[in-house]
Amino acid sequence: MTDNVHLGHRARKRFGQNFLHDDMIIDKIVTAIDPKPSDNLVEIGPGLGAITEPVTDLSGQLTVVELDKDLAERLTQHPFLGPKLTVHQGDAMKFDFASLIRDDEKLKVFGNLPYNVSTPLLFHLFEFVDNIEHMHFMLQKEVVKRMVAGPGSKAFGRLSVMTQYYCHAMPVIDVPPECFKPAPKVDSAVVRLIPKKPEQRTAKSTKLLNTVCLEAFNQRRKTLRNSLSNLLTADELTALGIDPSLRAESLSLTQFIDIANWIYDNKQ
Ligand code: SAM
């Protein structure tokens, strides 16, 4: 049980609290973020400050969004760190990240994310990509694998297509369970996300792109002719240059966009 108490705080499972305590890994994460004094930095889920402190040492100031009231209070009251932080106590999934833009300075977002909400949180952040310079997140390694997977891979799915639609994604650090207290049951990894330029994101409706992915991957073992039959016919797929006997996992990001844009133009 004592394993769940770290720096006098009992880890709350419902908030996905696994606190980092490995200095070498923390160093690697800070190096990947590369904080500078002029940066508009935002940390999601600072917790007990494992990454917050070394980042703030380099940047001088930092905005944090923390759901746990006790931890937010603890950071606000921290004698050295507190004055350098702007603490927002609340749910990052409901947070308006665009409200943090100042002097046209884009955000550099990072965090060791609560694994229980990582996918919806990523989708929330994708809505703000035009306000973001880069993001670094610690996630379950399986999730990072799915984010960076390409066509033909078993891990390729909706999360891969939507992540790669919004961002260039690359894994940067592998993190074993023993680097956390309490240790999670799964391996972790840090992913770097660099938002793509608006002109590279050519879907006419991201909602439709998401719907196409949901339908296609929901029944991933079916051919597109069957899995997408609610959205378009086999002939319509063929007219787009896409073989209807393929499965979702064979399609490229561009082909998913082509399907979504065809539906937007012809069926909306
Ligand atoms: N950054 C710390 C570290 O690396 O040791 C803590 C990481 S812990 C995995 C996740 C943190 O996110 C916790 O502090 C938790 O309270 C906070 N958290 C959980 N859900 C959140 C949410 N929806 N919005 C903001 N913070 C959240």
Side-chain angles (χ1 to χ4, degrees), residues 15-20 43-47 50-51 65-68 71 90-93 112-114:
F15 292 155
Q17 293 178 352
N18 299 92
F19 299 106
L20 258 177
E43 180 175 11
I44 298 174
I51 320 175
V65 183
E66 172 58 63
L67 182 59
D68 187 319
L71 292 179
D91 186 347
M93 283 192 284
N112 171 10
L113 296 188

Side-chain angles (χ1 to χ4, degrees), residues 156-224:
F156 187 62
R158 179 176 75 111
L159 186 61
S160 328
V161 175
M162 296 311 288
T163 300
Q164 293 163 38
Y165 176 71
Y166 286 107
C167 298
H168 299 284
M170 61 225 86
V172 284
I173 308 164
D174 271 347
V175 187
E178 55 273 17
C179 295
F180 303 88
K181 270 185 191 169
K185 290 195 176 67
V186 293
D187 282 330
S188 303
V190 176
V191 66
R192 172 179 292 149
L193 300 170
I194 315 265
K196 291 184 175 174
K197 295 192 174 71
E199 57 270 26
Q200 291 176 286
R201 305 197 311 265
T202 53
K204 294 178 180 173
S205 157
T206 45
K207 199 167 158 237
L208 257 182
L209 179 63
N210 191 47
T211 305
V212 171
C213 291
L214 276 172
E215 294 272 325
F217 287 109
N218 202 11
Q219 309 176 63
R220 56 186 298 140
R221 291 174 58 201
K222 286 196 175 176
T223 61
L224 296 171

Side-chain angles (χ1 to χ4, degrees), residues 49-186:
I51 320 175
T52 322
E53 225 172 304
V55 164
T56 311
D57 281 347
L58 295 170
S59 66
Q61 39 71 42
L62 172 65
T63 300
V64 300
V65 183
E66 172 58 63
L67 182 59
D68 187 319
K69 281 198 178 111
D70 294 341
L71 292 179
E73 178 70 13
R74 190 172 157 138
L75 288 167
T76 309
Q77 302 297 334
H78 193 290
F80 310 114
L81 206 48
K84 298 177 185 170
L85 300 180
T86 305
V87 180
H88 293 272
Q89 191 272 314
D91 186 347
M93 283 192 284
K94 295 186 185 140
F95 191 78
D96 176 13
F97 287 89
S99 70
L100 300 178
I101 292 294
R102 47 173 153 84
D103 306 329
D104 283 341
E105 193 71 37
K106 285 191 182 184
L107 307 174
K108 295 181 178 173
V109 186
F110 65 96
N112 171 10
L113 296 188
Y115 293 169
N116 49 349
V117 293
S118 58
T119 307
L121 188 48
L122 287 166
F123 276 83
H124 179 64
L125 285 158
F126 291 155
E127 289 175 27
F128 298 96
V129 281
D130 291 330
N131 298 307
I132 296 174
E133 181 98 23
H134 58 57
M135 302 184 262
H136 291 84
F137 294 127
M138 172 94 74
L139 296 159
Q140 228 174 295
K141 193 172 176 177
E142 278 309 309
V143 174
V144 172
K145 269 194 188 153
R146 283 163 43 208
M147 292 173 86
V148 305
S153 143
K154 267 198 181 141
F156 187 62
R158 179 176 75 111
L159 186 61
S160 328
V161 175
M162 296 311 288
T163 300
Q164 293 163 38
Y165 176 71
Y166 286 107
C167 298
H168 299 284
M170 61 225 86
V172 284
I173 308 164
D174 271 347
V175 187
E178 55 273 17
C179 295
F180 303 88
K181 270 185 191 169
K185 290 195 176 67
V186 293

